[in-house]
Amino acid sequence: MTDFAATKAMFDLPEGVIYLDGNSLGPLPSAAKDRVANMMTEEWGKMLITGWNKAGWMQKSTAVGNRIARLIGAEEDHVIMGDTLSIKVYQAVASALEMNPSRKVVLSDNGNFPSDLYIVQGLLKSLGAEYELRVVDPEAVAENITDDVAVLMLTEVDYRTGRKHDMKTLTAKAHEVGALTVWDLAHSAGALPVELAGCKADFAVGCTYKYLNSGPGGPAFIYVAPRHAEVARPALSGWLGHEAPFAFDLDYRPGRGIERMRVGTPPVIQLTSLEAAMDIWDQVDMQDLRAKSIELCNLFIAEAEAACPELELASPRDGDQRGSQVSFRFREGYAAMQALIERGVIGDFRAPDIMRFGFTPLYIDANDVRAAVAIVKDVMTNDLWDNEAYKQRAAVT
């Protein structure tokens, strides 16, 4: 069984803080400080540019991708790191559309993260007026997977409510009508077991700065199924995705397999930080993590509802139907969250009225949950949120 007390000791967690926002930004793995410092002084500092060869910097994108592959049920050598999640969404959707040229519809839902929708809107405008982004309610996705859909693009876990799509069922339905799938795992990777190969997903993307704890601005990843790896053409034809980048040819030739999905220079410092986090993940069984996550979320829901009847549960009550977060609606959710943060319980807010709490068993336990609920009860029962200072919106909510 996974020793979650041991993993908790591997993070730098500020004294007096209960951190329930790892679904937005994971905390600092203690080992990352020395690992990054060593990379900067011993590799960058002493090796200078020779570090690309001597320290293996160029191979990090694939090596780290393979470590993440275990957590998302992907085949070896079919996950590559680099760039941002928005860029990886663009790559995946553009490639999938080109592989389905007779169709012009991308289907998504209104629970998707807006950035994914923005990226597709921009892509489709570039492709022409005949292309359409069709957005439906999450519950209506299955019935809208029709034979004019080219690509089904969904975030597996809704960033606001934690509602979880059935990847296997929806992927199978998409394939039945000849559509390809792009799954965003931003709130899945490190939160719950994912089986990309088992579900026969076509493409998947995700970030690493949430549950995977790579640090702010950490690199994203992209997965391409083996059956597509030599076919999918990268719309963003970056030099490191070239078959022979250091031949400096003037014409692009895609690299082999997943390597063609490289775009720019690997972010070596952040990949080094992510390696330190992956050392923790290597000790975690994803089934153990999922069971503990559901247990913690269920405890939080039961205790919070008993203590604070004014909070309305926005997440699915059934643990199997949600990710590793719990969301409550409250009319002054932003102010209430600021009051909680000032008292040491850090969650976050999503418009218009969602108070969002993430539960990561790697460093959150039942004692943390009960202590957090006691503070939530104090803030809600005594209207401590009703303070003008708490109602002034910051740039990041």
Side-chain angles (χ1 to χ4, degrees), residues 304-377:
E305 287 188 323
C308 310
E310 59 269 64
L311 296 179
E312 177 191 352
L313 183 65
S315 299
R317 193 170 296 278
D318 181 353
D320 291 332
Q321 301 301 315
R322 65 171 184 262
S324 196
Q325 69 182 67
V326 174
S327 297
F328 284 103
R329 290 190 173 91
F330 179 59
R331 67 185 187 281
E332 291 287 352
Y334 180 81
M337 186 56 71
Q338 305 320 299
L340 288 174
I341 291 171
E342 190 162 294
R343 288 159 178 82
V345 175
I346 300 181
D348 62 18
F349 170 81
R350 290 295 178 261
D353 58 359
I354 294 285
M355 298 173 66
R356 194 173 68 155
F357 304 89
F359 293 87
T360 307
L362 267 62
Y363 51 83
I364 294 294
D365 56 32
N367 289 333
D368 295 321
V369 171
R370 293 189 178 95
V373 170
I375 296 172
V376 173
K377 180 180 179 180

Side-chain angles (χ1 to χ4, degrees), residues 8 19 33 81 102 160-161 171 181 229 266 362 376 387:
K8 185 172 185 175
Y19 192 62
K33 294 177 291 185
M81 309 299 303
S102 65
R160 289 172 303 184
T161 67
T171 298
T181 58
L362 267 62
V376 173
N387 180 322

Side-chain angles (χ1 to χ4, degrees), residues 83-164:
D83 315 301
T84 67
L85 180 52
S86 293
I87 287 174
K88 293 310 180 193
V89 169
Y90 189 101
Q91 280 187 290
V93 176
S95 293
L97 280 171
E98 189 170 301
M99 291 168 60
N100 221 348
S102 65
R103 302 184 183 193
K104 312 296 182 186
V105 175
V106 176
L107 176 65
S108 191
D109 70 71
N110 54 30
N112 207 342
F113 193 63
S115 180
D116 290 21
L117 302 179
Y118 302 159
I119 289 292
V120 174
Q121 288 168 3
L123 169 62
L124 299 189
K125 282 184 178 180
S126 298
L127 293 176
E130 69 273 23
Y131 284 86
E132 174 191 353
L133 172 60
R134 189 174 297 164
V135 179
V136 300
D137 292 335
E139 298 78 9
V141 167
E143 66 193 63
N144 280 279
I145 302 176
T146 51
D147 60 10
D148 62 340
V149 173
V151 179
L152 174 65
M153 180 194 69
L154 295 171
T155 296
E156 185 183 19
V157 174
D158 188 307
Y159 75 103
R160 289 172 303 184
T161 67
R163 180 192 187 278
K164 179 177 173 291

Side-chain angles (χ1 to χ4, degrees), residues 184-395:
D184 185 337
L185 306 180
H187 290 274
S188 305
L192 47 85
V194 180
E195 294 295 339
L196 291 177
C199 293
K200 296 182 170 56
D202 298 296
F203 296 85
V205 297
C207 59
T208 61
Y209 49 79
K210 300 181 190 297
Y211 293 97
L212 297 180
N213 311 299
S214 67
F221 61 84
I222 186 169
Y223 163 83
V224 182
R227 61 189 178 278
H228 302 316
E230 301 292 345
V231 178
R233 188 188 70 82
L236 295 171
S237 305
W239 79 295
L240 286 182
H242 192 281
E243 182 183 53
F246 288 91
F248 300 108
D249 291 342
L250 296 185
D251 294 316
Y252 180 81
R253 302 191 312 275
R256 294 291 305 277
I258 194 65
E259 295 292 324
R260 68 182 58 194
M261 290 298 175
R262 289 175 179 258
V263 182
T265 305
V268 177
I269 296 173
Q270 293 243 228
L271 284 170
T272 302
S273 176
L274 179 54
E275 285 178 321
M278 294 310 297
D279 288 346
I280 302 174
W281 280 107
D282 288 345
Q283 304 175 43
V284 176
D285 179 271
M286 292 305 294
Q287 298 298 330
D288 293 347
L289 178 119
R290 179 61 167 160
K292 182 59 69 173
S293 163
I294 291 175
E295 177 185 314
L296 294 174
C297 289
N298 285 346
L299 176 63
F300 184 75
I301 290 170
E303 300 252 336
E305 287 188 323
C308 310
E310 59 269 64
L311 296 179
E312 177 191 352
L313 183 65
S315 299
R317 193 170 296 278
D318 181 353
D320 291 332
Q321 301 301 315
R322 65 171 184 262
S324 196
Q325 69 182 67
V326 174
S327 297
F328 284 103
R329 290 190 173 91
F330 179 59
R331 67 185 187 281
E332 291 287 352
Y334 180 81
M337 186 56 71
Q338 305 320 299
L340 288 174
I341 291 171
E342 190 162 294
R343 288 159 178 82
V345 175
I346 300 181
D348 62 18
F349 170 81
R350 290 295 178 261
D353 58 359
I354 294 285
M355 298 173 66
R356 194 173 68 155
F357 304 89
F359 293 87
T360 307
L362 267 62
Y363 51 83
I364 294 294
D365 56 32
N367 289 333
D368 295 321
V369 171
R370 293 189 178 95
V373 170
I375 296 172
V376 173
K377 180 180 179 180
D378 185 38
V379 166
M380 301 306 297
T381 302
N382 296 303
D383 293 339
L384 300 182
W385 54 266
D386 195 8
N387 180 322
E388 283 305 313
Y390 296 147
K391 299 177 184 181
Q392 304 303 310
R393 299 284 177 98

Side-chain angles (χ1 to χ4, degrees), residues 62-80 196-197 222-227 229 257-259:
T62 304
V64 176
N66 278 330
R67 297 178 76 177
I68 288 176
R70 180 185 74 86
L71 305 181
I72 59 176
E75 300 89 343
E76 189 174 3
D77 294 334
H78 286 278
V79 177
I80 197 87
L196 291 177
I222 186 169
Y223 163 83
V224 182
R227 61 189 178 278
I258 194 65
E259 295 292 324

